[in-house]
Amino acid sequence: MSKRFQAMEKIESATAGSTSVSMFLYASFLGPITEEIVFRGFVLRSLEKYGKHFAIVTSAIMFGLFHANFIQGIFAILVGLILAYVALEYSIKWSIAFHIVNNFIFGDVLFFILGNFESTSAMIAISVLDLIFFIGGIYIICFRRKKEVHQYLQLEKANRELYLQTFTTIWMLLFMTAEILTSFMGITTL
């Protein structure tokens, strides 16, 4: 008999709203500020000398892996791409503000508002809102700012060798292995 695996406990703990004032302050304010300083301050800025595209993509991947949760990691990579672009082109202050708003709205406010709903209904409502924001972002990127985004990507294109070299260094391999193993710890058998 084959075993089925689930990661729901890890996903639910990563997406659940805060259960205490200290958790709320950490998840909505201290965490985003700290993560922005580390990933968009130190990591992004230290990689910028290799090109903006490389710095944005690499810091976003590291940000996603840092979350040590497959589902949340995918979302974190996508958000990391946006936050890195904002930090490079505008200011780290703006990426901190966006990160705080993201965690505050999607991490606490929505769960507080939907707290009286059945859990399945609440997850559907949150998924629909996420989808609306995602489609809105795609609309802005693909239709409203298509030329600017295309030009930016062409001007800031990174060398593929640089990605290969970066993601095969011993330190990056250790970091990725540790984060992936931590993600697997949240998966249990049914």
Side-chain angles (χ1 to χ4, degrees), residues 73-116:
I74 293 167
F75 178 73
I77 289 171
L78 297 174
V79 169
L81 292 169
I82 295 165
L83 293 174
Y85 175 81
V86 168
L88 275 181
E89 296 302 319
Y90 299 99
S91 165
I92 194 169
K93 292 174 190 172
W94 281 108
S95 67
I96 290 171
F98 287 156
H99 199 152
I100 288 171
V101 168
N102 176 69
N103 286 22
F104 180 71
I105 300 293
F106 288 106
D108 282 307
V109 171
L110 283 178
F111 281 94
F112 179 76
I113 292 170
L114 300 172
N116 294 327

Side-chain angles (χ1 to χ4, degrees), residues 31-180:
I33 292 168
T34 304
E35 289 175 356
E36 288 305 305
I37 289 169
V38 170
F39 289 99
R40 262 57 76 182
F42 297 119
V43 174
L44 179 71
R45 292 298 177 179
S46 68
L47 296 173
E48 186 179 11
K49 61 187 169 197
Y50 301 107
K52 290 181 179 182
H53 187 275
F54 176 78
I56 290 170
V57 171
T58 304
S59 67
I61 291 170
M62 291 177 71
F63 179 64
L65 287 169
F66 172 76
H67 284 79
N69 177 312
F70 290 119
I71 304 299
Q72 188 182 20
I74 293 167
F75 178 73
I77 289 171
L78 297 174
V79 169
L81 292 169
I82 295 165
L83 293 174
Y85 175 81
V86 168
L88 275 181
E89 296 302 319
Y90 299 99
S91 165
I92 194 169
K93 292 174 190 172
W94 281 108
S95 67
I96 290 171
F98 287 156
H99 199 152
I100 288 171
V101 168
N102 176 69
N103 286 22
F104 180 71
I105 300 293
F106 288 106
D108 282 307
V109 171
L110 283 178
F111 281 94
F112 179 76
I113 292 170
L114 300 172
N116 294 327
F117 284 66
E118 177 195 353
S119 64
T120 304
S121 300
M123 289 306 291
I124 290 170
I126 289 170
S127 296
V128 167
L129 286 171
D130 285 344
L131 185 62
I132 290 169
F133 277 92
F134 179 74
I135 290 170
I138 294 297
Y139 172 76
I140 290 169
I141 291 169
C142 292
F143 298 105
R144 301 287 309 250
R145 303 275 182 192
K146 184 179 180 177
K147 271 187 175 174
E148 292 97 341
V149 171
H150 182 70
Q151 288 173 341
Y152 185 84
L153 292 174
Q154 291 303 315
L155 289 173
E156 299 298 335
K157 196 176 254 184
N159 182 342
R160 291 181 188 203
E161 295 292 320
L162 184 57
Y163 284 109
L164 181 64
Q165 193 175 36
T166 300
F167 286 96
T168 57
T169 64
I170 187 69
W171 299 112
M172 185 61 85
L173 290 171
L174 287 172
F175 173 71
M176 291 187 307
T177 301
E179 296 303 315
I180 289 169

